[in-house]
């Protein structure tokens, strides 16, 4: 089993749709979780850290389910500019984020 | 621009040549990371520095790869005797060195290497 698994998609959704991505991780001791966004041929950029209690930032909501070892990202009211690859990132180490384990990414295309 | 910078942005080389990439982290960030990313894959961790100390190296980092951060500021990644399989985007990231989730990694624009 891969350390971090994501459905690669692509997800094709119309503007205004709600879309959800899930990501599973294999190491139950994992400490920190993140969603990064990566545009084509650009560097990854942090979208959200994922907290145990779940967190929301505008149209984006991240959830963590430790019992089932998955994290999710919900995007509401999708915009054309949301089209990108969304990378699930897990830090299996306690204390700091020195080595992040990355999923392959989920591709999202928001269509007019 | 006070973000992470990398140089060069693109490098085309012939197999067997040596290449060196440079990364300038965000100032006052004491952690610096190198990753490699190929098309359709997530970034793969290569190595990590805390100040000038190289604390961890992936087994992906063969003997042909070496990284330095001599003064705890900028870092260089050298690949000797390049092979076609080295073609990838080489990403550098830095973080302030805080504990836990707060220690966010910020990425540079990457150096795209093509080995002919």
């Amino acid at each position: 089993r891969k350390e971090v698994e994501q459905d690669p998609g692509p997800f094709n959704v119309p503007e205004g749709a709600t879309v959800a991505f899930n990501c599973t991780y294999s190491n139950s001791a994992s400490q920190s979780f993140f969603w990064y966004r990566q545009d084509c041929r650009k560097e990854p950029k942090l979208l959200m850290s994922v907290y145990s209690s779940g967190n929301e930032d505008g149209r984006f909501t991240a959830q963590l389910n430790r019992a089932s070892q998955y994290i999710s990202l919900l995007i509401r009211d999708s915009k054309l500019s949301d089209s990108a690859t969304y990378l699930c990132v897990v830090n299996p180490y306690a204390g700091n984020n020195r080595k992040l384990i990355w999923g392959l990414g989920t591709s999202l295309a928001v269509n007019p | 621009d006070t973000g992470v910078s990398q140089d060069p942005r693109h490098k085309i080389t012939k197999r067997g040549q040596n290449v060196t990439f440079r990364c300038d982290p965000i100032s006052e960030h004491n952690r610096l990371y190198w990753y490699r990313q190929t098309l359709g894959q997530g970034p793969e961790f290569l190595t990590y520095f805390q100040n000038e100390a190289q604390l961890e190296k992936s087994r992906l980092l063969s003997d042909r790869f070496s990284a330095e951060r001599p003064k705890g500021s900028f870092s260089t990644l050298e690949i000797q005797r390049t092979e076609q399989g080295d073609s990838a985007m080489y990403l550098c990231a830095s973080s302030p060195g805080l504990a836990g989730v707060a220690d966010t990694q910020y990425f540079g624009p990457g150096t795209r290497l093509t080995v002919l």
Side-chain angles (χ1 to χ4, degrees), chain A residues 81-107:
Chain A
S81 58
D82 294 334
S83 298
T85 297
Y86 291 83
L87 293 154
C88 171
V89 188
V90 174
N91 172 26
Y93 298 98
N96 64 58
N97 293 337
R98 66 185 187 280
K99 180 177 176 179
L100 301 179
I101 309 299
W102 296 70
L104 298 183
T106 298
S107 175

PDB file of all heavy atoms in Angstrom, chain A residues 81-107:
ATOM      1  N   SER A  81     -10.716  29.372 -11.785  1.00  0.00           N
ATOM      2  CA  SER A  81      -9.345  29.486 -11.273  1.00  0.00           C
ATOM      3  C   SER A  81      -8.973  28.375 -10.290  1.00  0.00           C
ATOM      4  O   SER A  81      -7.813  28.258  -9.894  1.00  0.00           O
ATOM      5  CB  SER A  81      -9.150  30.842 -10.603  1.00  0.00           C
ATOM      6  OG  SER A  81     -10.096  31.006  -9.560  1.00  0.00           O
ATOM      7  N   ASP A  82      -9.962  27.555  -9.916  1.00  0.00           N
ATOM      8  CA  ASP A  82      -9.653  26.417  -9.034  1.00  0.00           C
ATOM      9  C   ASP A  82      -9.035  25.256  -9.814  1.00  0.00           C
ATOM     10  O   ASP A  82      -8.558  24.288  -9.209  1.00  0.00           O
ATOM     11  CB  ASP A  82     -10.922  25.926  -8.327  1.00  0.00           C
ATOM     12  CG  ASP A  82     -11.493  26.935  -7.349  1.00  0.00           C
ATOM     13  OD1 ASP A  82     -10.710  27.771  -6.839  1.00  0.00           O
ATOM     14  OD2 ASP A  82     -12.719  26.895  -7.105  1.00  0.00           O
ATOM     15  N   SER A  83      -9.061  25.330 -11.127  1.00  0.00           N
ATOM     16  CA  SER A  83      -8.492  24.257 -11.954  1.00  0.00           C
ATOM     17  C   SER A  83      -7.004  24.121 -11.659  1.00  0.00           C
ATOM     18  O   SER A  83      -6.228  25.073 -11.830  1.00  0.00           O
ATOM     19  CB  SER A  83      -8.703  24.565 -13.446  1.00  0.00           C
ATOM     20  OG  SER A  83     -10.073  24.632 -13.751  1.00  0.00           O
ATOM     21  N   ALA A  84      -6.617  22.962 -11.194  1.00  0.00           N
ATOM     22  CA  ALA A  84      -5.229  22.716 -10.776  1.00  0.00           C
ATOM     23  C   ALA A  84      -5.137  21.268 -10.322  1.00  0.00           C
ATOM     24  O   ALA A  84      -6.116  20.521 -10.361  1.00  0.00           O
ATOM     25  CB  ALA A  84      -4.837  23.648  -9.618  1.00  0.00           C
ATOM     26  N   THR A  85      -3.957  20.882  -9.876  1.00  0.00           N
ATOM     27  CA  THR A  85      -3.764  19.589  -9.225  1.00  0.00           C
ATOM     28  C   THR A  85      -3.665  19.818  -7.726  1.00  0.00           C
ATOM     29  O   THR A  85      -2.949  20.707  -7.276  1.00  0.00           O
ATOM     30  CB  THR A  85      -2.486  18.891  -9.738  1.00  0.00           C
ATOM     31  OG1 THR A  85      -2.645  18.620 -11.132  1.00  0.00           O
ATOM     32  CG2 THR A  85      -2.252  17.587  -8.995  1.00  0.00           C
ATOM     33  N   TYR A  86      -4.395  19.028  -6.971  1.00  0.00           N
ATOM     34  CA  TYR A  86      -4.431  19.166  -5.519  1.00  0.00           C
ATOM     35  C   TYR A  86      -3.667  17.997  -4.899  1.00  0.00           C
ATOM     36  O   TYR A  86      -4.008  16.831  -5.106  1.00  0.00           O
ATOM     37  CB  TYR A  86      -5.874  19.243  -5.028  1.00  0.00           C
ATOM     38  CG  TYR A  86      -6.511  20.538  -5.459  1.00  0.00           C
ATOM     39  CD1 TYR A  86      -7.059  20.676  -6.731  1.00  0.00           C
ATOM     40  CD2 TYR A  86      -6.509  21.650  -4.628  1.00  0.00           C
ATOM     41  CE1 TYR A  86      -7.597  21.877  -7.165  1.00  0.00           C
ATOM     42  CE2 TYR A  86      -7.055  22.861  -5.044  1.00  0.00           C
ATOM     43  CZ  TYR A  86      -7.585  22.965  -6.311  1.00  0.00           C
ATOM     44  OH  TYR A  86      -8.107  24.170  -6.730  1.00  0.00           O
ATOM     45  N   LEU A  87      -2.647  18.336  -4.163  1.00  0.00           N
ATOM     46  CA  LEU A  87      -1.740  17.335  -3.610  1.00  0.00           C
ATOM     47  C   LEU A  87      -1.992  17.165  -2.118  1.00  0.00           C
ATOM     48  O   LEU A  87      -1.995  18.137  -1.359  1.00  0.00           O
ATOM     49  CB  LEU A  87      -0.287  17.775  -3.831  1.00  0.00           C
ATOM     50  CG  LEU A  87       0.165  17.811  -5.292  1.00  0.00           C
ATOM     51  CD1 LEU A  87       1.287  18.813  -5.477  1.00  0.00           C
ATOM     52  CD2 LEU A  87       0.607  16.434  -5.731  1.00  0.00           C
ATOM     53  N   CYS A  88      -2.183  15.929  -1.734  1.00  0.00           N
ATOM     54  CA  CYS A  88      -2.349  15.570  -0.326  1.00  0.00           C
ATOM     55  C   CYS A  88      -0.964  15.291   0.247  1.00  0.00           C
ATOM     56  O   CYS A  88      -0.171  14.575  -0.368  1.00  0.00           O
ATOM     57  CB  CYS A  88      -3.230  14.325  -0.257  1.00  0.00           C
ATOM     58  SG  CYS A  88      -3.363  13.562   1.358  1.00  0.00           S
ATOM     59  N   VAL A  89      -0.666  15.858   1.387  1.00  0.00           N
ATOM     60  CA  VAL A  89       0.682  15.772   1.948  1.00  0.00           C
ATOM     61  C   VAL A  89       0.589  15.372   3.411  1.00  0.00           C
ATOM     62  O   VAL A  89      -0.196  15.949   4.165  1.00  0.00           O
ATOM     63  CB  VAL A  89       1.416  17.119   1.812  1.00  0.00           C
ATOM     64  CG1 VAL A  89       2.874  16.966   2.209  1.00  0.00           C
ATOM     65  CG2 VAL A  89       1.317  17.652   0.397  1.00  0.00           C
ATOM     66  N   VAL A  90       1.409  14.423   3.796  1.00  0.00           N
ATOM     67  CA  VAL A  90       1.376  13.883   5.150  1.00  0.00           C
ATOM     68  C   VAL A  90       2.779  13.909   5.746  1.00  0.00           C
ATOM     69  O   VAL A  90       3.756  13.580   5.065  1.00  0.00           O
ATOM     70  CB  VAL A  90       0.855  12.423   5.133  1.00  0.00           C
ATOM     71  CG1 VAL A  90       0.939  11.793   6.506  1.00  0.00           C
ATOM     72  CG2 VAL A  90      -0.569  12.391   4.613  1.00  0.00           C
ATOM     73  N   ASN A  91       2.861  14.324   6.990  1.00  0.00           N
ATOM     74  CA  ASN A  91       4.131  14.208   7.709  1.00  0.00           C
ATOM     75  C   ASN A  91       3.999  13.093   8.729  1.00  0.00           C
ATOM     76  O   ASN A  91       3.262  13.228   9.694  1.00  0.00           O
ATOM     77  CB  ASN A  91       4.473  15.522   8.405  1.00  0.00           C
ATOM     78  CG  ASN A  91       5.671  15.381   9.324  1.00  0.00           C
ATOM     79  OD1 ASN A  91       6.514  14.522   9.113  1.00  0.00           O
ATOM     80  ND2 ASN A  91       5.741  16.208  10.343  1.00  0.00           N
ATOM     81  N   PRO A  92       4.713  11.995   8.530  1.00  0.00           N
ATOM     82  CA  PRO A  92       4.576  10.871   9.456  1.00  0.00           C
ATOM     83  C   PRO A  92       5.399  11.019  10.729  1.00  0.00           C
ATOM     84  O   PRO A  92       5.359  10.157  11.589  1.00  0.00           O
ATOM     85  CB  PRO A  92       5.088   9.691   8.627  1.00  0.00           C
ATOM     86  CG  PRO A  92       6.056  10.301   7.679  1.00  0.00           C
ATOM     87  CD  PRO A  92       5.584  11.693   7.395  1.00  0.00           C
ATOM     88  N   TYR A  93       6.119  12.129  10.871  1.00  0.00           N
ATOM     89  CA  TYR A  93       7.032  12.287  11.991  1.00  0.00           C
ATOM     90  C   TYR A  93       6.472  13.247  13.024  1.00  0.00           C
ATOM     91  O   TYR A  93       5.861  14.254  12.694  1.00  0.00           O
ATOM     92  CB  TYR A  93       8.375  12.828  11.512  1.00  0.00           C
ATOM     93  CG  TYR A  93       9.061  11.903  10.543  1.00  0.00           C
ATOM     94  CD1 TYR A  93       8.970  12.138   9.177  1.00  0.00           C
ATOM     95  CD2 TYR A  93       9.771  10.804  10.977  1.00  0.00           C
ATOM     96  CE1 TYR A  93       9.578  11.296   8.272  1.00  0.00           C
ATOM     97  CE2 TYR A  93      10.389   9.955  10.082  1.00  0.00           C
ATOM     98  CZ  TYR A  93      10.288  10.206   8.736  1.00  0.00           C
ATOM     99  OH  TYR A  93      10.887   9.374   7.847  1.00  0.00           O
ATOM    100  N   ALA A  94       6.741  12.975  14.260  1.00  0.00           N
ATOM    101  CA  ALA A  94       6.336  13.885  15.324  1.00  0.00           C
ATOM    102  C   ALA A  94       7.361  14.998  15.451  1.00  0.00           C
ATOM    103  O   ALA A  94       8.536  14.802  15.193  1.00  0.00           O
ATOM    104  CB  ALA A  94       6.233  13.131  16.649  1.00  0.00           C
ATOM    105  N   GLY A  95       6.953  16.159  15.809  1.00  0.00           N
ATOM    106  CA  GLY A  95       7.884  17.216  16.184  1.00  0.00           C
ATOM    107  C   GLY A  95       8.187  18.242  15.117  1.00  0.00           C
ATOM    108  O   GLY A  95       8.358  19.390  15.402  1.00  0.00           O
ATOM    109  N   ASN A  96       8.287  17.845  13.861  1.00  0.00           N
ATOM    110  CA  ASN A  96       8.563  18.848  12.830  1.00  0.00           C
ATOM    111  C   ASN A  96       8.149  18.298  11.477  1.00  0.00           C
ATOM    112  O   ASN A  96       7.733  17.166  11.338  1.00  0.00           O
ATOM    113  CB  ASN A  96      10.034  19.272  12.817  1.00  0.00           C
ATOM    114  CG  ASN A  96      10.950  18.131  12.464  1.00  0.00           C
ATOM    115  OD1 ASN A  96      10.825  17.534  11.408  1.00  0.00           O
ATOM    116  ND2 ASN A  96      11.842  17.804  13.358  1.00  0.00           N
ATOM    117  N   ASN A  97       8.257  19.100  10.482  1.00  0.00           N
ATOM    118  CA  ASN A  97       7.785  18.718   9.153  1.00  0.00           C
ATOM    119  C   ASN A  97       8.921  18.509   8.197  1.00  0.00           C
ATOM    120  O   ASN A  97       8.861  18.913   7.055  1.00  0.00           O
ATOM    121  CB  ASN A  97       6.865  19.812   8.613  1.00  0.00           C
ATOM    122  CG  ASN A  97       5.601  19.909   9.402  1.00  0.00           C
ATOM    123  OD1 ASN A  97       5.209  18.962  10.047  1.00  0.00           O
ATOM    124  ND2 ASN A  97       4.962  21.052   9.361  1.00  0.00           N
ATOM    125  N   ARG A  98       9.990  17.877   8.626  1.00  0.00           N
ATOM    126  CA  ARG A  98      11.165  17.855   7.777  1.00  0.00           C
ATOM    127  C   ARG A  98      10.993  16.945   6.568  1.00  0.00           C
ATOM    128  O   ARG A  98      11.623  17.143   5.558  1.00  0.00           O
ATOM    129  CB  ARG A  98      12.394  17.437   8.575  1.00  0.00           C
ATOM    130  CG  ARG A  98      12.358  16.004   9.086  1.00  0.00           C
ATOM    131  CD  ARG A  98      13.554  15.736   9.972  1.00  0.00           C
ATOM    132  NE  ARG A  98      13.673  14.346  10.360  1.00  0.00           N
ATOM    133  CZ  ARG A  98      12.981  13.793  11.330  1.00  0.00           C
ATOM    134  NH1 ARG A  98      12.114  14.498  12.000  1.00  0.00           N
ATOM    135  NH2 ARG A  98      13.146  12.515  11.641  1.00  0.00           N
ATOM    136  N   LYS A  99      10.190  15.917   6.630  1.00  0.00           N
ATOM    137  CA  LYS A  99      10.056  15.026   5.488  1.00  0.00           C
ATOM    138  C   LYS A  99       8.580  14.820   5.228  1.00  0.00           C
ATOM    139  O   LYS A  99       7.902  14.165   6.017  1.00  0.00           O
ATOM    140  CB  LYS A  99      10.742  13.694   5.746  1.00  0.00           C
ATOM    141  CG  LYS A  99      10.633  12.727   4.569  1.00  0.00           C
ATOM    142  CD  LYS A  99      11.384  11.457   4.851  1.00  0.00           C
ATOM    143  CE  LYS A  99      11.194  10.452   3.717  1.00  0.00           C
ATOM    144  NZ  LYS A  99      11.938   9.202   3.971  1.00  0.00           N
ATOM    145  N   LEU A 100       8.123  15.363   4.168  1.00  0.00           N
ATOM    146  CA  LEU A 100       6.724  15.242   3.813  1.00  0.00           C
ATOM    147  C   LEU A 100       6.551  14.127   2.795  1.00  0.00           C
ATOM    148  O   LEU A 100       7.371  13.960   1.897  1.00  0.00           O
ATOM    149  CB  LEU A 100       6.197  16.554   3.237  1.00  0.00           C
ATOM    150  CG  LEU A 100       6.300  17.769   4.157  1.00  0.00           C
ATOM    151  CD1 LEU A 100       5.773  19.006   3.440  1.00  0.00           C
ATOM    152  CD2 LEU A 100       5.547  17.537   5.455  1.00  0.00           C
ATOM    153  N   ILE A 101       5.478  13.383   2.938  1.00  0.00           N
ATOM    154  CA  ILE A 101       5.138  12.338   1.982  1.00  0.00           C
ATOM    155  C   ILE A 101       3.980  12.857   1.142  1.00  0.00           C
ATOM    156  O   ILE A 101       2.948  13.268   1.683  1.00  0.00           O
ATOM    157  CB  ILE A 101       4.724  11.033   2.688  1.00  0.00           C
ATOM    158  CG1 ILE A 101       5.771  10.623   3.723  1.00  0.00           C
ATOM    159  CG2 ILE A 101       4.503   9.935   1.650  1.00  0.00           C
ATOM    160  CD1 ILE A 101       7.145  10.351   3.152  1.00  0.00           C
ATOM    161  N   TRP A 102       4.152  12.842  -0.161  1.00  0.00           N
ATOM    162  CA  TRP A 102       3.204  13.463  -1.073  1.00  0.00           C
ATOM    163  C   TRP A 102       2.401  12.405  -1.829  1.00  0.00           C
ATOM    164  O   TRP A 102       2.941  11.385  -2.258  1.00  0.00           O
ATOM    165  CB  TRP A 102       3.947  14.308  -2.101  1.00  0.00           C
ATOM    166  CG  TRP A 102       4.691  15.456  -1.506  1.00  0.00           C
ATOM    167  CD1 TRP A 102       5.816  15.391  -0.729  1.00  0.00           C
ATOM    168  CD2 TRP A 102       4.371  16.832  -1.630  1.00  0.00           C
ATOM    169  NE1 TRP A 102       6.208  16.659  -0.380  1.00  0.00           N
ATOM    170  CE2 TRP A 102       5.343  17.568  -0.918  1.00  0.00           C
ATOM    171  CE3 TRP A 102       3.364  17.538  -2.297  1.00  0.00           C
ATOM    172  CZ2 TRP A 102       5.331  18.959  -0.841  1.00  0.00           C
ATOM    173  CZ3 TRP A 102       3.357  18.923  -2.230  1.00  0.00           C
ATOM    174  CH2 TRP A 102       4.324  19.607  -1.498  1.00  0.00           C
ATOM    175  N   GLY A 103       1.130  12.700  -2.001  1.00  0.00           N
ATOM    176  CA  GLY A 103       0.336  11.910  -2.931  1.00  0.00           C
ATOM    177  C   GLY A 103       0.652  12.318  -4.361  1.00  0.00           C
ATOM    178  O   GLY A 103       1.389  13.270  -4.599  1.00  0.00           O
ATOM    179  N   LEU A 104       0.079  11.584  -5.305  1.00  0.00           N
ATOM    180  CA  LEU A 104       0.323  11.882  -6.718  1.00  0.00           C
ATOM    181  C   LEU A 104      -0.463  13.089  -7.201  1.00  0.00           C
ATOM    182  O   LEU A 104      -0.168  13.650  -8.243  1.00  0.00           O
ATOM    183  CB  LEU A 104      -0.035  10.675  -7.581  1.00  0.00           C
ATOM    184  CG  LEU A 104       0.782   9.408  -7.328  1.00  0.00           C
ATOM    185  CD1 LEU A 104       0.346   8.321  -8.312  1.00  0.00           C
ATOM    186  CD2 LEU A 104       2.263   9.675  -7.455  1.00  0.00           C
ATOM    187  N   GLY A 105      -1.468  13.472  -6.420  1.00  0.00           N
ATOM    188  CA  GLY A 105      -2.262  14.617  -6.820  1.00  0.00           C
ATOM    189  C   GLY A 105      -3.564  14.220  -7.489  1.00  0.00           C
ATOM    190  O   GLY A 105      -3.664  13.172  -8.127  1.00  0.00           O
ATOM    191  N   THR A 106      -4.557  15.067  -7.308  1.00  0.00           N
ATOM    192  CA  THR A 106      -5.854  14.910  -7.966  1.00  0.00           C
ATOM    193  C   THR A 106      -6.059  16.096  -8.883  1.00  0.00           C
ATOM    194  O   THR A 106      -5.967  17.243  -8.434  1.00  0.00           O
ATOM    195  CB  THR A 106      -6.994  14.854  -6.937  1.00  0.00           C
ATOM    196  OG1 THR A 106      -6.810  13.717  -6.106  1.00  0.00           O
ATOM    197  CG2 THR A 106      -8.341  14.767  -7.637  1.00  0.00           C
ATOM    198  N   SER A 107      -6.318  15.819 -10.139  1.00  0.00           N
ATOM    199  CA  SER A 107      -6.474  16.875 -11.124  1.00  0.00           C
ATOM    200  C   SER A 107      -7.925  17.348 -11.169  1.00  0.00           C
ATOM    201  O   SER A 107      -8.840  16.537 -11.263  1.00  0.00           O
ATOM    202  CB  SER A 107      -6.049  16.362 -12.495  1.00  0.00           C
ATOM    203  OG  SER A 107      -6.286  17.319 -13.487  1.00  0.00           O
TER     204      SER A 107
END
